[in-house]
Amino acid sequence: MTRQLALAPAPAPAPSRTATAPRAASPATAPRAASPGTASPGSPSLGTAGLVTVLLGAFLPMLDFFIVNVALPTIDEDLAAGPAVLELVAAGYGIAFAVLLVLGGRLGDVFGRRRLFVAGAAAFALTSLACGLAPDAWSLVAARAAQGASAALLIPQVLGTITATTEGARRGRALSIYGAVGGISVVVGQVLGGMLVAADLFGTGWRSVFLVNVPFALLAVVTALRHVPESRATRAARVDVPGTVLLTATLLALLIPLMEGRAAGWPLWSWVLLGLFPVLAAAFAVVERRAERRGDTPLVPPTLLRIPEMRRGLGIALPYFAGFGGFMFVIAVALQQGLHLGPVAAGWALVPMAVGYFAASLSGPRLIGRFGSRVLSAGAVIQALGLATLALTALADWSHFSPLRMAPGVALAGIGQGLIGTPLFRVVLSKVPAARAGVGSGVLATSQQSSLALGVATLGTLYLSLSPSLGMARAFALCLGIQLLGSFTILYLTTRLPRSIG
């Protein structure tokens, strides 16, 4: 990893700390496909220290999406939360994160990405502290939602900064490393969460999974002020208020009933919201098209989605992240409730996956340079083999299903996921002009977080609903089978990508 981070010698000091992005493409036309070099001549570039800083800013919010999974039983015991409130502890973060990501990218374009990165990291430290000190379950729910909102300010600035302040091979390698950090943080979250809960540092118990963020987020603030160059779009576009409201309503209409409907007994409001989802989605698309025709700057410019690499990459992102998110939730529940493992054992059971993902991520940039998008196709096949192996192992003898027996399956799945996730960010953002780096990054990050939340909601709800009647083994295998279908979908979609990835 150290070798990859040392992407190039540190750049010479620039005369100005403000990066000037190229002039934005006309909203009425499709954006011109930028070559890998999109930073303007003479503008500051992102050095190694700056890259490490923004990657730390990316690691913490993505880590926190899953670090709470193994702590939920302890939170329930300590705060008497109950199933519905526990789902809100997990869902509140993901929903706030997802619905505000595109807005966070737009604000970075307008006010400066480093400025928003610093503000987001500081807010993430404060809200993590609030989570760790929450006196009751509902205070924790509110703090988690605020934490998700601060993450939505932080994450788009990472991708936006990388896209706007790097070029050529450095940009490609930086995006590949970002993809690796994203996947590793998810697995590490499960492992680290279990270790922190079991360690009970200074009597903090589950609270340590939130408090651990505080010093690292503050470190990101300090180092960003020194090592991350400022960048922004040259034309300060106004915030698309109608688009923001409609996108928020669309995602809430989908995610809230899926995450809370089962725990609440599927009341009428959950079905009403699901029925409103396609209507709101269509209204959002119409409003965005009309805004672009008027010459305004919509929240999600339709012309941005006409870039083939972005459109096809987002098509892969949906089944990939939904399957990934659902798998991590289901495996945590199955190991703790089905096999009655403690939080440490449940976390360590996923170490082979983390090792496989990390190994694939390290070799990913070199493989992509040689084989292009075939790397993603190979990843889909390997992931499918891992999921099939894991499902067959569970069905063969659930009573003796253990972390050791599941190691081959999760290791293969991790390798496959690393080969998909590492180049995926590079594919999606490879042709996005620097002037639209913030909004492009926001669209990608929203797709990522929405898909993760959707996977937790759908596969998690399915597993919890079916395990009492089908049994743990069959319900677990069924969820893996659905994710297996997602792997075949990814395999097909990768054949539609250009073989060479910039």
Side-chain angles (χ1 to χ4, degrees), residues 236-299:
R238 292 182 299 176
V239 173
D240 177 13
V241 175
T244 300
V245 172
L246 278 172
L247 178 62
T248 301
T250 300
L251 292 175
L252 289 176
L254 176 65
L255 295 176
I256 285 181
L258 288 178
M259 288 187 166
E260 292 301 303
R262 185 194 66 85
W266 296 108
L268 178 61
W269 62 260
S270 63
W271 296 108
V272 171
L273 284 177
L274 286 174
L276 285 174
F277 166 70
V279 177
L280 292 168
F284 173 71
V286 169
V287 166
E288 297 299 274
R289 281 198 298 268
R290 288 178 178 175
E292 196 163 54
R293 289 195 195 105
R294 290 195 306 266
D296 297 335
T297 306
L299 190 67

Side-chain angles (χ1 to χ4, degrees), residues 64 68 72 75-76 79-97 127-128 130-150 206-207 210 256 259-260:
D64 230 63
V68 73
L72 288 176
I75 293 173
D76 187 18
L79 301 181
V85 178
L86 281 181
E87 288 195 31
L88 279 174
V89 170
Y93 180 87
I95 291 173
F97 198 167
T127 53
S128 295
C131 289
L133 300 179
D136 54 59
W138 285 107
S139 297
L140 179 57
V141 169
R144 280 285 283 173
Q147 190 186 33
S150 65
W206 59 267
R207 299 178 187 274
F210 301 113
I256 285 181
M259 288 187 166
E260 292 301 303

Side-chain angles (χ1 to χ4, degrees), residues 32-308:
R32 182 172 56 86
S35 63
T38 54
S40 59
S43 64
S45 61
L46 189 67
T48 301
L51 179 60
V52 172
T53 297
V54 296
L55 290 176
L56 175 61
F59 179 80
L60 293 175
M62 291 188 283
L63 174 83
D64 230 63
F65 194 101
F66 286 96
I67 197 172
V68 73
N69 279 352
V70 293
L72 288 176
T74 309
I75 293 173
D76 187 18
E77 181 181 343
D78 187 28
L79 301 181
V85 178
L86 281 181
E87 288 195 31
L88 279 174
V89 170
Y93 180 87
I95 291 173
F97 198 167
V99 301
L100 295 174
L101 271 166
V102 176
L103 178 60
R106 175 58 50 81
L107 292 175
D109 283 349
V110 175
F111 297 109
R113 298 178 185 112
R114 184 183 66 176
R115 181 178 298 176
L116 266 293
F117 179 92
V118 169
F124 194 79
L126 290 174
T127 53
S128 295
L129 181 63
C131 289
L133 300 179
D136 54 59
W138 285 107
S139 297
L140 179 57
V141 169
R144 280 285 283 173
Q147 190 186 33
S150 65
L153 286 180
L154 179 58
I155 283 287
Q157 317 320 323
V158 177
L159 283 169
T161 297
I162 290 174
T163 305
T165 61
T166 59
E167 57 184 18
R170 295 188 73 242
R171 186 186 188 190
R173 285 194 293 270
L175 289 173
S176 294
I177 297 170
Y178 175 90
V181 167
I184 292 169
S185 66
V186 175
V187 181
V188 169
Q190 306 273 115
V191 177
L192 181 61
M195 294 176 65
L196 288 173
V197 171
D200 193 20
L201 299 173
F202 308 106
T204 55
W206 59 267
R207 299 178 187 274
S208 59
V209 304
F210 301 113
L211 296 175
V212 71
N213 295 324
V214 177
F216 292 103
L218 294 177
L219 176 64
V221 170
V222 174
T223 54
L225 291 172
R226 182 171 182 178
H227 297 293
V228 177
E230 184 63 279
S231 64
R232 57 166 57 86
T234 53
R235 290 194 307 177
R238 292 182 299 176
V239 173
D240 177 13
V241 175
T244 300
V245 172
L246 278 172
L247 178 62
T248 301
T250 300
L251 292 175
L252 289 176
L254 176 65
L255 295 176
I256 285 181
L258 288 178
M259 288 187 166
E260 292 301 303
R262 185 194 66 85
W266 296 108
L268 178 61
W269 62 260
S270 63
W271 296 108
V272 171
L273 284 177
L274 286 174
L276 285 174
F277 166 70
V279 177
L280 292 168
F284 173 71
V286 169
V287 166
E288 297 299 274
R289 281 198 298 268
R290 288 178 178 175
E292 196 163 54
R293 289 195 195 105
R294 290 195 306 266
D296 297 335
T297 306
L299 190 67
V300 181
T303 51
L304 194 66
L305 300 180
R306 292 175 195 159
I307 300 175

Side-chain angles (χ1 to χ4, degrees), residues 62 65 94 97-103 155-156 159 178 247 251 254-255 284 300 304-305 309-325 424-425 428-429 439-455:
M62 291 188 283
F65 194 101
F97 198 167
V99 301
L100 295 174
L101 271 166
V102 176
L103 178 60
I155 283 287
L159 283 169
Y178 175 90
L247 178 62
L251 292 175
L254 176 65
L255 295 176
F284 173 71
V300 181
L304 194 66
L305 300 180
E309 287 80 3
M310 169 159 272
R311 185 176 63 252
R312 294 166 186 169
L314 290 177
I316 294 171
L318 176 58
Y320 172 72
F321 287 115
F324 197 32
L424 185 56
F425 294 89
V428 175
L429 297 175
V439 67
S441 302
V443 170
L444 173 57
T446 296
S447 301
Q448 177 188 16
Q449 297 303 321
S450 300
S451 299
L452 285 170
L454 184 63

